[in-house]
Amino acid sequence: MALAALSDVKRVLRITTEDATRDAELTAKLAVAEEWFRIRSRGEFDETAPAEAEYYAIRYGSILHLPVPGSTVTAVRAGSATGPATLGSDSYTVMDDRRVRIGRIDPWPRDPREQEPLGWSERPYYEKVEIDYTPPATVSVAVRDGIASIAAAMWKRSGGGETGSQNIKSEKIGDYSYTLESGSQTAGDDLWRDGLRLLHPFIGPRISST
């Protein structure tokens, strides 16, 4: 499944004309941007069929991030590494289309001696948690535009358009490299930041705590 198209990159760059050479360059940058994103997102965006995500040593109250935002949770299992048992719907909370909290939000388990919520290190944990989910049928707008912005930034930084990099500092993503002097403002910087901002939720950590 393609995550962005040439037309998306041209839209980000506000290009409305046809140019075979330029469009070939943009297509090449788009392929690199997609490959980078698939690696950072562990490749789960290729999945369209129901899938399973696994998490280990999970504390009660942990918030687990699904690999693909926009997914629908169908089942949650927790327990030992060899045999997690299916949890009832009152034992976990689907917070939104990406996050699942293991355990109810309130009340937390309490210390029977003091009637106070248990500290994080004192809460029980599961050796393994499995979440069955169905990925969305379409690509998120944030993913599409984020990848298009990264591809557009690569093209700008390699000299595409009216300006390109003027100074040197080597950086590399996959097989793609560009030059940028530390602290300088270079063509494509705004596009690069916009792309990272849009894609950050999809390549962040898979477990958080409260």
Side-chain angles (χ1 to χ4, degrees):
M1 174 173 60
L3 303 181
L6 172 62
S7 58
D8 297 317
V9 183
K10 294 175 72 172
R11 172 174 50 80
V12 167
L13 290 166
R14 299 179 182 179
I15 293 175
T16 58
T17 59
E18 301 294 328
D19 183 288
T21 300
R22 180 202 60 216
D23 290 354
E25 294 174 355
L26 292 175
T27 298
K29 301 304 183 188
L30 176 59
V32 174
E34 270 205 32
E35 179 185 7
W36 167 79
F37 177 72
R38 289 182 190 278
I39 293 172
R40 293 295 303 273
S41 64
R42 298 169 296 278
E44 279 101 343
F45 276 82
D46 288 325
E47 300 291 342
T48 56
E52 177 188 283
E54 297 181 345
Y55 310 83
Y56 294 89
I58 301 302
R59 290 281 181 186
Y60 185 100
S62 293
I63 298 173
L64 308 182
H65 296 242
L66 294 172
V68 184
S71 299
T72 301
V73 174
T74 55
V76 178
R77 294 177 295 279
S80 68
T82 56
T86 300
L87 297 180
S89 58
D90 60 345
S91 298
Y92 65 91
T93 304
V94 178
M95 303 179 69
D96 50 34
D97 65 359
R98 189 185 189 195
R99 299 177 300 161
V100 177
R101 184 196 296 272
I102 301 303
R104 291 174 294 178
I105 294 178
D106 185 60
W108 294 115
R110 292 178 176 272
D111 186 324
R113 296 166 298 177
E114 302 179 5
Q115 292 299 307
E116 293 292 332
L118 294 177
W120 180 254
S121 64
E122 299 172 300
R123 295 176 187 173
Y125 76 94
Y126 299 106
E127 292 183 39
K128 184 180 183 181
V129 172
E130 300 171 346
I131 300 179
D132 294 340
Y133 65 95
T134 301
T138 58
V139 177
S140 162
V141 171
V143 169
R144 181 198 67 196
D145 290 351
I147 290 175
S149 294
I150 293 293
M154 291 179 179
W155 181 70
K156 283 281 191 180
R157 287 176 165 182
S158 65
E162 296 181 355
T163 59
S165 300
Q166 302 298 320
N167 301 297
I168 297 177
K169 177 186 175 183
S170 296
E171 296 190 21
K172 186 175 184 179
I173 294 180
D175 294 329
Y176 167 75
S177 61
Y178 65 89
T179 58
L180 173 64
E181 183 180 23
S182 178
S184 68
Q185 182 69 27
T186 303
D189 280 4
D190 289 343
L191 289 167
W192 189 266
R193 283 191 292 269
D194 288 345
L196 292 181
R197 175 180 54 80
L198 289 167
L199 297 177
H200 177 73
F202 304 91
I203 57 179
R206 297 182 65 180
I207 302 173
S208 59
S209 59
T210 59

